[in-house]
Amino acid sequence: MISTKMAQAINEQINREFFAAFLYLAMANDATEKGFNGTAHWMTLQFQEEQEHALKFSKYLQDQGHKVVLDALDAPQTDWKGILDMFEDALLHEKKVTAWINDLYTLAIEEKDYATQSMLRWFIDEQVEEEASCNDAISALQHVGDSANGTYMLDRQFGKRQED
Ligand code: MG
């Protein structure tokens, strides 16, 4: 059994994971429109991953006997200057998600809610990966700078990302 307060906090996170999915889909759409098909593929995988996160939290809430309440999503940004700008925004967003997950963990500690702490540890590790993969893309793009050739090669590389 988890507290109503904890359940509400997890429910909020479910909606945030769906917003993150929505944001990545908007990035995928913008990348496609600008001809960066590799980046579009990368962002589409991320869109799918975020939905899986939302469903993983949902399953936990349901296993604990709570109802999942979906909320309206804000419209995401639709245009980015380029793919570097896009990955930088993705990193900023992942940092926000990390902070929210840390807040959930803090609440779980305060409530001596060991089951939720255990569930959240997977997400804490996952956020390290999420931030690292955005950081990798950003530093590679910063290396090639304004080179259209370099950006093209990196976009192709992002297109090789596998589902994890
Ligand atoms: Mg997520």
Side-chain angles (χ1 to χ4, degrees), residues 13 17 20 49-50 53 94 97 101 123 126-127 130:
Q13 187 60 28
E17 297 288 347
E49 236 183 60
E50 298 306 333
H53 293 169
E94 288 302 340
V97 172
I101 286 172
F123 283 96
E126 175 70 8
Q127 283 310 116
E130 299 285 55

Side-chain angles (χ1 to χ4, degrees), residues 9-138:
I10 292 170
N11 196 91
E12 264 181 65
Q13 187 60 28
I14 292 169
N15 286 295
R16 289 169 181 151
E17 297 288 347
F18 277 124
F19 177 76
F22 216 27
L23 180 64
Y24 280 116
L25 183 59
M27 288 177 174
N29 289 339
D30 192 39
T32 298
E33 203 195 306
K34 292 185 164 76
F36 293 111
N37 294 336
T39 302
H41 166 80
W42 197 102
M43 295 296 171
T44 301
L45 287 185
Q46 203 57 37
F47 159 67
Q48 288 163 355
E49 236 183 60
E50 298 306 333
Q51 292 177 87
E52 284 164 20
H53 293 169
L55 295 179
K56 204 174 169 91
F57 275 120
S58 300
K59 169 133 189 358
Y60 178 75
L61 210 52
Q62 288 163 338
D63 284 347
Q64 290 286 1
H66 288 272
K67 187 179 171 66
V68 174
V69 182
L70 297 178
D71 205 350
L73 298 176
D74 287 334
Q77 186 176 330
T78 51
D79 273 288
W80 282 266
K81 276 181 282 174
I83 57 176
L84 174 58
D85 183 39
M86 207 177 263
F87 278 105
E88 282 171 344
D89 270 6
L91 177 62
L92 278 181
H93 195 76
E94 288 302 340
K95 285 183 172 173
K96 256 198 247 178
V97 172
T98 300
W100 283 322
I101 286 172
N102 288 345
D103 288 346
L104 287 174
Y105 198 78
T106 302
L107 178 62
I109 290 170
E110 283 166 7
E111 297 201 343
K112 296 187 167 56
D113 176 346
Y114 301 110
T116 301
Q117 287 175 41
S118 173
M119 179 276 291
L120 286 171
R121 277 195 282 272
W122 182 89
F123 283 96
I124 291 168
D125 293 341
E126 175 70 8
Q127 283 310 116
V128 175
E129 293 298 314
E130 299 285 55
E131 290 189 27
S133 52
C134 288
N135 265 319
D136 285 350
I138 290 166

